[in-house]
Amino acid sequence: MIMIKADGNVGIGTTTPASQLEISHPTFTRSKFTYAGNDKGLTIGNWANEAYIYNELNTDLVFGTNDLARVRITNDGNVGIGTSSPNATLQIGNNVGDGSMDLYSEYQAILFDGGTPINSYGVGIRPNTFVFNSRPD
């Protein structure tokens, strides 16, 4: 059932939509967006009193503003803020360093400035180690 009210609100599964788009189902608490006949896609909903945004495909999940990617969760679970290819569990900033932090996969968190490998600085956190990479003067 689809309802389009005089005020422009659209309801799917409800005759009384209270917002521009309201989707309701008596037993399902989620909505799935798929493409090209694929049965997997982006699912948004509630399960067990928790809200979910779930990418069922083996692809990255990207959040953006102003038509630019800002946060990326890779298909292997790494999270990047300000980088399109995070190499640690959490990476904030760009992948730069002076060679002392090249094994990004061993880090739980990496924070760098936006410089080049020659003039960058940042910190890295890995098991039992805190690494500080100072900027050469």
Side-chain angles (χ1 to χ4, degrees):
M1 152 187 28
I2 297 176
M3 167 67 72
I4 302 173
K5 295 187 70 179
D7 62 3
N9 289 352
V10 175
I12 300 174
T14 179
T15 58
T16 57
S19 57
Q20 289 178 328
L21 176 61
E22 184 173 331
I23 302 171
S24 180
H25 192 278
T27 57
F28 293 116
T29 59
R30 62 187 180 268
S31 297
K32 183 183 285 192
F33 302 89
T34 62
Y35 66 95
N38 196 334
D39 65 339
K40 294 183 178 180
L42 179 67
T43 299
I44 300 172
N46 285 315
W47 291 277
N49 297 319
E50 294 180 330
Y52 283 83
I53 299 175
Y54 195 81
N55 181 1
E56 297 173 330
L57 301 171
N58 189 24
T59 59
D60 295 356
L61 180 61
V62 179
F63 297 90
T65 61
N66 199 27
D67 202 27
L68 296 171
R70 305 295 184 176
V71 176
R72 178 178 301 267
I73 304 172
T74 63
N75 62 337
D76 61 356
N78 290 344
V79 177
I81 301 172
T83 179
S84 61
S85 54
N87 291 303
T89 304
L90 172 62
Q91 182 171 343
I92 302 173
N94 298 319
N95 289 343
V96 295
D98 67 356
S100 63
M101 297 177 72
D102 289 339
L103 301 174
Y104 296 114
S105 61
E106 67 187 63
Y107 288 86
Q108 282 89 28
I110 301 173
L111 300 109
F112 280 114
D113 73 349
T116 65
I118 294 171
N119 67 1
S120 68
Y121 63 94
V123 297
I125 303 168
R126 62 182 183 204
N128 302 315
T129 307
F130 179 80
V131 179
F132 178 75
N133 183 27
S134 63
R135 180 184 303 224
D137 290 321

